[in-house]
Amino acid sequence: MKYTCPVCGYDQMDDIAYYENGDASFELCSCCGFQFGVDDDVEIEDSIFLSRSEAHDLYRSNWLKDGAKIFSDYAFTPDQDEGEPLERMILQKQLRRIHIKLES
């Protein structure tokens, strides 16, 4: 079974992002590089943290601004390399999975 990243919509993760009890899996998304249980622990002020959803939104926004670069070439076909921008058509399809519309 494969799982979908709630940050970028990549649907080939080996483990779920969060278990039913709320614990993070520490899975690392091969597409965007988000690590659940690490990158979602964002302190914005002394002992005040972003919610997971807010952390996902912030990470996604920064990832998109940086060109939506592929974190690991393991994630895609041999013609798509680590550090290269994700093809726009693939990016749009992934983001639709998590109900995010890519702005033009």
Side-chain angles (χ1 to χ4, degrees), residues 52-103:
R52 284 181 173 166
S53 175
E54 291 169 329
H56 296 169
D57 292 346
L58 177 62
Y59 191 96
R60 180 186 316 106
S61 176
N62 289 330
W63 179 68
L64 291 170
K65 282 181 197 170
D66 288 341
K69 294 178 183 158
I70 299 169
F71 180 75
S72 171
D73 56 6
Y74 166 80
F76 295 96
T77 60
D79 61 330
Q80 294 177 303
D81 293 326
E82 176 181 322
E84 287 186 358
L86 190 58
E87 291 179 19
R88 187 165 182 84
M89 185 177 73
I90 294 171
L91 179 59
Q92 288 174 322
K93 183 177 180 181
Q94 283 186 194
L95 292 175
R96 276 196 305 266
R97 284 188 197 117
I98 55 171
H99 310 289
I100 304 292
K101 185 176 180 181
L102 186 62
E103 295 179 20

